[in-house]
Amino acid sequence: MIFKGVELCCPYCKGDLRETNGGERGLVCQLCQRSFPIFLDIPDLRVFPDPYIEREADLAKGLRVASRFDELDFPELIDFYYSVTSVVPSQDARRYTLGLLAGVPRAEESLTSWENSTPSGSATETLLEIGCGTAPLLVAAASRFKRVVGVDIAFRWLVVAKKRLAEAGLDLPLICACAEALPFPDAVFDRVVADSTLEHVADQQQALVQCHRVMKPSGYLFVSTPNRFSLGPDPQVGIWSGSLLPERWLAAYVRRQGGIPPKRHLLSARELSSMIRQAGFGSPRVTLPDISSSQRSHFSKGVQVLIDLYQTAKRMPVSRQCLQLIGPLLHAVAEKRSSEQLKAGV
């Protein structure tokens, strides 16, 4: 089935999908006969639910957010989302909101950095983002690629993503699906992006294998993920060196704040590189990203000073090697080798 210009298939058996006739809108697999609903023009092709919320509750929250879609702008819709999400403490909601509002400039910076790491002339027609969230990277990528597709396991966040896209004048395909069971045929995309996603998926290796499967030969994987050994603020919790604390300590701290402990598995640079190679990609290039001025402006003066020191240290060979071990964020670029490259042993 072609949905908004992208071919979809069954996430279980990869059989053809057809839209149902009559009744509620949905899809049915012509091979295994499994059926999948479509809500708000978002196909729900998940094989398991978001680890933080059951499927029906996720749907209900997404529809509740959608009920305010027309009357609220994007920042107001985020505020509304957090106002009906009691498990996110108010201080965390404010921090997350600042990050979401600064998302597009950060994504622009990341895409530029990643693309500069690929050979000139490589195909750039199609891009898939797994874990697209509120779609800042999709907005940034829309002017660079002919076709851009977003996947996320959280239906509720895809509703918010639709608002960001609508305000940007974009109508892109958003698919509710699991990274470990992507509902696309083999060899479809020139780029696959996992931006602050890999640490959250249930099976990281399987997610990377799926990225490799749906990518065209000589395509590129882009990954951004927090460093397991970072000394900086924890991306979910906010406390310094939080990723180094024992998991039970961090969980206890989050519960005392009224939140839900993050369900994640952080990776070091070495672990990330090894996992990407095991998925079938060529040797990845793992780097430390820059922090854009627009992103920097959302932090306190004290953190801005630390950001400036980080940017300076990145340009010095010795300190850059140290930051590779303890820096806050890792970027990776890896190529899916073509059959010719494999034969040549490249």
Side-chain angles (χ1 to χ4, degrees):
M1 175 193 177
I2 303 301
F3 176 77
K4 292 188 175 182
V6 63
E7 185 175 358
L8 297 180
C9 65
C10 176
Y12 290 94
C13 70
K14 302 303 178 282
D16 292 335
L17 295 174
R18 298 283 179 85
E19 191 158 353
T20 55
N21 295 318
E24 293 185 354
R25 191 179 178 198
L27 303 172
V28 61
C29 176
Q30 300 302 290
L31 187 59
C32 70
Q33 298 303 307
R34 289 183 171 91
S35 59
F36 308 92
I38 299 176
F39 300 106
L40 304 177
D41 207 29
I42 300 172
D44 186 351
L45 296 166
R46 291 175 287 186
V47 301
F48 53 80
D50 183 325
Y52 289 98
I53 188 171
E54 291 300 322
R55 190 189 302 257
E56 291 304 317
D58 181 30
L59 173 61
K61 181 172 283 189
L63 294 177
R64 185 174 182 184
V65 172
S67 70
R68 306 293 299 276
F69 191 93
D70 293 331
E71 62 185 278
L72 302 178
D73 63 18
F74 178 69
E76 291 170 338
L77 198 63
I78 293 173
D79 287 341
F80 176 71
Y81 172 86
Y82 283 121
S83 74
V84 299
T85 306
S86 60
V87 294
V88 178
S90 58
Q91 67 272 17
D92 288 345
R94 288 192 295 271
R95 180 163 52 84
Y96 296 159
T97 299
L98 289 175
L100 294 173
L101 296 180
V104 174
R106 186 184 71 83
E108 291 275 7
E109 189 95 6
S110 296
L111 275 176
T112 298
S113 173
W114 283 323
E115 286 296 335
N116 287 341
S117 300
T118 64
S120 59
S122 60
T124 56
E125 289 192 356
T126 54
L127 177 143
L128 168 69
E129 184 184 10
I130 62 170
C132 66
T134 64
L137 190 134
L138 300 184
V139 172
S143 62
R144 306 183 187 212
F145 295 83
K146 291 183 179 179
R147 185 172 300 117
V148 176
V149 182
V151 163
D152 203 288
I153 196 173
F155 173 79
R156 61 199 183 281
W157 280 119
L158 291 175
V159 175
V160 182
K162 284 178 70 71
K163 186 66 179 184
R164 191 198 289 270
L165 293 176
E167 291 189 354
L170 298 170
D171 182 21
L172 304 178
L174 297 174
I175 315 296
C176 197
C178 305
E180 298 90 335
L182 293 174
F184 308 106
D186 297 351
V188 175
F189 299 98
D190 298 305
R191 302 284 187 268
V192 178
V193 180
D195 186 10
S196 298
T197 295
L198 194 58
E199 64 272 18
H200 297 295
V201 300
D203 188 335
Q204 294 171 321
Q205 192 65 67
Q206 177 61 17
L208 288 170
V209 167
Q210 285 287 295
C211 291
H212 186 273
R213 180 185 65 79
V214 302
M215 187 182 297
K216 296 177 183 177
S218 301
Y220 282 87
L221 171 74
F222 298 153
V223 175
S224 170
T225 190
N227 186 356
R228 174 185 172 189
F229 298 122
S230 171
L231 299 181
D234 185 282
Q236 279 82 48
V237 182
I239 60 176
W240 289 82
S241 303
S243 60
L244 298 178
L245 296 175
E247 190 173 320
R248 66 181 184 278
W249 292 9
L250 197 66
Y253 171 82
V254 173
R255 290 191 184 97
R256 283 198 300 271
Q257 301 299 310
I260 297 178
K263 298 179 181 181
R264 65 187 188 184
H265 179 68
L266 301 180
L267 300 170
S268 67
R270 179 177 295 181
E271 290 169 329
L272 175 61
S273 181
S274 174
M275 194 170 285
I276 291 173
R277 286 196 303 270
Q278 290 176 31
F281 292 95
S283 295
R285 180 170 179 257
V286 180
T287 61
L288 298 165
D290 287 327
I291 298 175
S292 66
S293 58
S294 59
Q295 187 182 8
R296 177 185 177 276
S297 66
H298 286 277
F299 291 98
S300 66
K301 295 295 184 182
V303 174
Q304 287 182 16
V305 171
L306 293 174
I307 289 173
D308 293 339
L309 291 173
Y310 164 81
Q311 298 282 67
T312 300
K314 258 173 43 55
R315 293 190 286 269
M316 303 171 65
V318 175
S319 56
R320 184 168 61 243
Q321 291 180 358
C322 294
L323 284 175
Q324 191 84 20
L325 298 176
I326 62 172
L329 195 65
L330 301 171
H331 273 194
V333 177
E335 183 182 13
K336 179 177 180 176
R337 293 165 292 183
S338 65
S339 56
E340 290 78 11
Q341 289 174 311
L342 291 171
K343 288 177 182 178
V346 177

